[in-house]
Amino acid sequence: MNIIANHQIYTLRNYQQKFKNDIYKAIKKGSKKILCYSPTGSGKTIVIASILADALSRNKKAILLTNREFIIDQTLDTIAGNREQGTGNS
């Protein structure tokens, strides 16, 4: 799966794709509350962006809710191409 953001193409790494697939499997099994965690710098933001892109490409509505404003800023920076994929660095 490639994500195009700000004229950059992001390709999920194998472990990120597995992370995403595991989330989709939980959803298909009917899970309504899913806790996902991964180490700092592992690319959680790009996985979230990929899931949001999937939903939007199917004309579905999507919303990202967090309890920290910086997560929203980080996700928008990633989608805009202002962050390096999976490094946690700006």
Side-chain angles (χ1 to χ4, degrees):
M1 163 57 121
N2 293 327
I3 300 171
I4 300 173
N6 199 27
H7 305 291
Q8 291 182 303
I9 298 176
Y10 294 100
T11 301
L12 294 180
R13 295 182 174 124
N14 290 338
Y15 66 90
Q16 293 167 330
Q17 187 63 53
K18 182 184 180 319
F19 188 54
K20 180 180 166 181
N21 292 344
D22 289 346
I23 293 168
Y24 282 153
K25 285 178 190 174
I27 293 168
K28 285 183 180 183
K29 286 182 179 179
S31 296
K32 299 290 182 192
K33 297 177 182 179
I34 303 167
L35 173 64
C36 302
Y37 59 93
S38 187
T40 300
S42 63
K44 293 178 293 291
T45 301
I46 200 68
V47 173
I48 292 168
S50 178
I51 291 170
L52 292 172
D54 287 351
L56 296 174
S57 73
R58 293 189 311 265
N59 294 320
K60 301 288 184 179
K61 293 181 181 179
I63 187 168
L64 173 61
L65 300 173
T66 72
N67 65 340
R68 300 286 186 260
E69 188 174 328
F70 78 90
I71 297 293
I72 299 295
D73 294 337
Q74 177 180 313
T75 303
L76 291 173
D77 283 349
T78 298
I79 292 169
N82 298 327
R83 295 177 64 84
E84 297 175 30
Q85 177 185 0
T87 64
N89 298 323
S90 292

